[in-house]
Amino acid sequence: MVATSQPRGRQKAGIVAAGSFAGNPKKATVTFAAAYPAATYAIAITGADGRNWVFESVTAAGFVINSQANAALTGNVSWQTQFQGETL
């Protein structure tokens, strides 16, 4: 999954297709087209499936979305990031 980003690269957002999640529990890796300067950014995850989404393995270049469930997903998952210290 590759991110799209806002001007100046302080915000990034994308969609991960349901079929991109693998393993048990179902996980998907997000890799940014351009890395942040550091791994100090906020992450918001919203999915069509009713899951308790968490992120893990955060680096300046991306992160992993964990669905915390073994069942296959039926809907896409949206994510947004914002580099620390920036405002909308």
Side-chain angles (χ1 to χ4, degrees), residues 5-57:
S5 62
Q6 296 286 334
R8 297 179 302 280
R10 298 298 183 198
Q11 301 163 358
K12 302 178 190 298
I15 296 173
V16 181
S20 297
F21 285 78
N24 286 315
K26 299 295 183 247
K27 296 181 181 184
T29 299
V30 173
T31 303
F32 302 139
Y36 280 119
T40 52
Y41 52 90
I43 302 170
I45 303 167
T46 306
D49 296 81
R51 309 276 171 105
N52 291 317
W53 305 100
V54 296
F55 54 86
E56 54 191 42
S57 303

